[in-house]
Amino acid sequence: MTQTDDVETAVTRYDAIIIGAGFSGMYMLHKLRDELGMTVRLFERGDGVGGTWYWNRYPGARCDVPSMFYSYSFDDDLEQEWQWTERYAAQPEILRYAEHVADRFDLTKNIEFGRLVTAADFDDASATWTITTDEGTKESARYLIAASGPLSAAQVPRFEGLDDFAGDWYHTGDWPEEQVDFTGKRVGIIGTGSSGVQSIPVIAETAEHVIVFQRTATFSVPAQNYSLTAEERDAIKKDYKAIRASGRVGSGSGTPMPAPKAFANELSPAELQHELDAKWEWGGPAFLRAFKDTMTDRKANRLTADYVRAKIREIVKDPDTAELLMPPDYPIGAKRLPADTGYFETFNRDNVRLVSVRGTPIERITTNGIVVGDEEYKLDAIVFATGYDAVTGALNNIRIRNSAGELLKDKWMNGPRAYLGVMSAGFPNLFMVVGPSSPSITTNVLVSIEQHVEWISEYIAFLREHGIETTEADLTAEDEWVEHVSELADGTLFPEADSWYMGANIPGKPRVFLAYVAGVGTYKERCDAVAAAGYTGFIHDGEPAHSLEDVVFSE
Ligand code: N01
């Protein structure tokens, strides 16, 4: 039932409020409203659906998971009717897909666009969350679902003088809706992660001059993108369920791709070369699966990294530029590996210059451009491809407070803590989709989103059926989960790089690995076992849901 309370500030009560109309929020809305018959309101700061694909309109933006699998699987008709045109769709096509889904399931009637949720407060007595929006309006619900996205809080470094810059500046993750024309302009691009790697080659095609300010040289592999034929699409669609399922088993990322055949030390030099060549030709993140131990063994990883370094030397004609582009000695893949189209080749263009800001950081921004060391680089526009306050940023930007007045942000001061990555102890009835310490960011996120949404909505159905008003994570279960997630990460090379996976890109952010790395299949088994045992590790209306002894996390 939806009702309006007759209180000072009108508060509309829903069964659930969802924050964010990206792929997580849209599916959650569909599930709760259409399958559980709940009253639901979704708040979205943008003026349309699509989440990350709404904001990331920068030139060259496209996914790095094959689109046939970077798409929902929950509806047979939807998956059969949509015709992806490229192996890796570009942003406009992915956004059209999100809009199509919104139309198909009539989602927008329950979405308030252009409304930023600024605060959320839980009241124990009524077991409700009340959210406040940037317009000062308040609405409440039994459940609050944070579908605010792991990569949505854009990070613009606070360079002195930015406000004085006379040209235009942009962040790749907050790109304007209207087309930006760089024709005839001198463009400075800061950042060489995935967004920089995708945008630099495309911007260089029209700009008069591009200056790339690189702090850490990146590894990158060719996406090997191509147009899909009807035959290719049909072949997958004929067997869609089984092919998708093959990507979800065991330690999978959720994307069907060729499995590594062997550990690196089991292969001869010729076999090593052959495996790396094959994965380079295959394209994209599969490159990290040349060997079974690429992400766990330093030697296997170095072989993989050196292969890319050799490719850079081969592609980039000017030896000094090639040396500057050489990634330093962090494990390949420990920072998210970009998939590019002509990235290294772009540095052979006459209108592209690479400036290393590793030893000599950007000093300040002036009216005319960027100052590094003694030189002022004159620019008409600056593109910040400087990334995100990942995973926790969007949540921490909302003042989330429990009945005792404690803030989630304070609880997470030394790193995020969440049981199964879905709920944080002390914050009842607040579910997170692809939250910290879930597989999300290291997987095909669409697969992780579907699993989370389905698990959470089944849990909510269970709570409603059993007349349970509040659920919250048990602190012991949460501690054990966080420790388990951290042990898994410590068994890999991920913690060895200063990456956003580790929170290392944000000054002052605690260094904690933000994801569960044992794969979507194993994670799903864990979540399903918890559900089957009666939601062990959660507290229902103040009572433990089940004995914690039923939950075993260690392998
Ligand atoms: O951000 P990043 P991103 N001075 O954090 C540099 C997803 N994504 O937006 O490495 C100078 O990776 C920073 O330097 P350093 C994907 O998961 C996917 O590119 O910290 N430089 C780095 O080079 C990805 O991983 C796709 O030393 C500064 C860059 O900015 C995630 O989003 C496409 C600086 C930031 O790289 C984030 O990628 C795009 C400073 N003060 C994004 N501060 C697909 O392909 C930062 N940098 C699907």
Side-chain angles (χ1 to χ4, degrees):
M1 287 289 290
T2 303
Q3 63 188 72
T4 301
D5 290 355
D6 191 21
V7 288
E8 209 174 84
T9 319
V11 174
T12 310
R13 184 162 303 140
Y14 298 99
D15 292 325
I17 286 175
I18 301 169
I19 304 173
F23 285 118
S24 302
M26 288 167 68
Y27 185 31
M28 188 53 93
L29 170 56
H30 169 58
K31 270 276 181 197
L32 298 184
R33 186 194 66 183
D34 302 335
E35 290 186 19
L36 302 193
M38 293 167 66
T39 56
V40 188
R41 203 76 187 152
L42 189 156
F43 293 88
E44 164 57 52
R45 74 186 160 108
D47 291 329
V49 297
T52 202
W53 298 105
Y54 174 89
W55 297 103
N56 279 264
R57 297 164 189 258
Y58 64 83
R62 62 176 69 247
C63 59
D64 62 357
V65 169
S67 299
M68 293 295 294
F69 307 110
Y70 189 80
S71 46
Y72 290 122
S73 70
F74 70 83
D75 186 279
D76 291 348
D77 293 337
L78 170 65
E79 99 182 337
Q80 288 296 325
E81 79 200 4
W82 187 262
Q83 308 287 0
W84 291 108
T85 63
E86 291 181 276
R87 184 187 193 193
Y88 300 109
Q91 176 273 336
E93 188 173 4
I94 305 175
L95 186 58
R96 278 201 302 281
Y97 172 74
E99 289 165 350
H100 170 75
V101 173
D103 287 348
R104 196 180 203 292
F105 296 99
D106 200 12
L107 298 179
T108 48
K109 69 178 181 202
N110 295 88
I111 303 178
E112 302 241 4
F113 290 108
R115 302 276 296 277
L116 177 72
V117 175
T118 55
D121 290 89
F122 189 70
D123 174 48
D124 270 343
S126 58
T128 53
W129 280 98
T130 298
I131 59 116
T132 308
T133 69
D134 52 349
E135 291 172 5
T137 55
K138 292 179 189 292
E139 319 227 22
S140 73
R142 169 65 33 95
Y143 302 105
L144 180 62
I145 322 280
S148 40
L151 292 162
S152 52
Q155 156 81 350
V156 178
R158 292 195 194 119
F159 293 119
E160 184 197 323
L162 179 57
D163 291 343
D164 303 330
F165 182 58
D168 296 318
W169 65 266
Y170 311 89
H171 186 284
T172 47
D174 196 3
W175 202 262
E177 229 171 289
E178 64 277 10
Q179 197 139 14
V180 178
D181 185 5
F182 289 119
T183 311
K185 298 213 164 133
R186 292 175 62 84
V187 184
I189 304 177
I190 306 172
T192 53
S194 299
S195 306
V197 160
Q198 285 188 333
S199 58
I200 288 163
V202 182
I203 293 175
E205 281 170 19
T206 55
E208 182 190 305
H209 206 87
V210 167
I211 303 178
V212 176
F213 297 90
Q214 169 192 275
R215 187 164 68 183
T216 308
T218 185
F219 293 102
S220 184
V221 294
Q224 312 285 20
N225 192 28
Y226 51 78
S227 298
L228 287 172
T229 62
E231 289 72 32
E232 279 170 293
R233 279 195 300 262
D234 291 349
I236 292 173
K237 285 184 179 182
K238 245 199 218 152
D239 215 9
Y240 225 150
K241 293 273 172 280
I243 300 174
R244 283 194 196 263
S246 69
R248 292 191 183 117
V249 290
S251 62
S253 66
T255 307
M257 58 174 93
K261 293 194 191 111
F263 292 94
N265 67 7
E266 294 170 341
L267 300 172
S268 68
E271 288 168 329
L272 290 169
Q273 183 71 27
H274 176 267
E275 287 308 311
L276 289 163
D277 285 344
K279 291 294 186 296
W280 181 268
E281 285 310 317
W282 178 271
F287 187 70
L288 295 174
R289 291 159 69 92
F291 316 120
K292 287 181 178 169
D293 48 355
T294 306
M295 288 312 299
T296 51
D297 180 76
R298 248 309 191 168
K299 232 170 139 187
N301 189 282
R302 196 163 286 132
L303 280 167
T304 311
D306 285 345
Y307 181 92
V308 178
R309 291 192 180 99
K311 286 284 185 192
I312 299 171
R313 286 197 183 93
E314 199 179 297
I315 296 168
V316 179
K317 292 188 183 127
D318 173 47
D320 293 338
T321 307
E323 266 334 287
L324 274 187
L325 286 167
M326 225 35 77
D329 192 30
Y330 66 85
I332 184 171
K335 283 180 168 213
R336 166 77 176 246
L337 180 65
D340 73 87
T341 302
Y343 175 65
F344 294 115
E345 290 82 348
T346 298
F347 293 93
N348 292 331
R349 296 179 67 111
D350 291 338
N351 67 335
V352 175
R353 177 168 173 197
L354 180 64
V355 174
S356 173
V357 294
R358 194 165 181 75
T360 317
I362 292 174
E363 190 183 298
R364 68 198 145 88
I365 293 176
T366 63
T367 323
N368 300 321
I370 291 180
V371 176
V372 181
D374 297 337
E375 196 158 348
E376 182 186 56
Y377 296 88
K378 298 252 185 332
L379 301 167
D380 302 309
I382 300 175
V383 173
F384 289 91
T386 44
Y388 300 87
D389 185 351
V391 184
T392 53
L395 284 162
N396 283 341
N397 285 343
I398 304 169
R399 197 219 56 213
I400 298 173
R401 189 164 55 182
N402 65 16
S403 237
E406 293 153 350
L407 300 180
L408 184 68
K409 191 176 177 169
D410 287 348
K411 181 186 166 189
W412 286 3
M413 199 180 296
N414 297 318
R417 307 188 73 76
Y419 176 45
L420 300 176
V422 296
M423 191 170 265
S424 192
F427 293 82
N429 293 7
L430 166 61
F431 288 100
M432 293 170 275
V433 186
V434 296
S437 76
S438 76
S440 68
I441 52 176
T442 53
T443 65
N444 173 349
V445 80
L446 257 290
V447 170
S448 287
I449 285 171
E450 284 197 327
Q451 185 268 338
H452 253 193
V453 168
E454 285 160 13
W455 192 90
I456 292 168
S457 55
E458 274 164 33
Y459 188 16
I460 289 177
F462 171 93
L463 295 168
R464 285 160 62 88
E465 266 165 40
H466 291 80
I468 298 164
E469 292 205 334
T470 62
T471 172
E472 68 174 292
D474 178 275
L475 194 56
T476 311
E478 178 171 289
D479 287 347
E480 285 176 10
W481 180 256
V482 170
E483 201 178 316
H484 173 59
V485 169
S486 152
E487 274 170 13
L488 288 171
D490 287 344
T492 71
L493 300 171
F494 280 108
E496 291 189 26
D498 290 332
S499 67
W500 62 258
Y501 288 146
M502 292 293 298
N505 63 325
I506 303 294
K509 191 168 174 173
R511 278 188 80 112
V512 173
F513 190 74
L514 293 166
Y516 173 87
V517 289
V520 291
T522 312
Y523 176 75
K524 184 175 184 317
E525 282 167 22
R526 298 280 198 222
C527 292
D528 290 350
V530 166
Y535 295 97
T536 41
F538 289 93
I539 297 174
H540 291 161
D541 289 337
E543 298 292 327
H546 234 272
S547 164
L548 284 177
E549 283 155 24
D550 294 346
V551 193
V552 179
F553 292 127
S554 49
E555 292 282 54

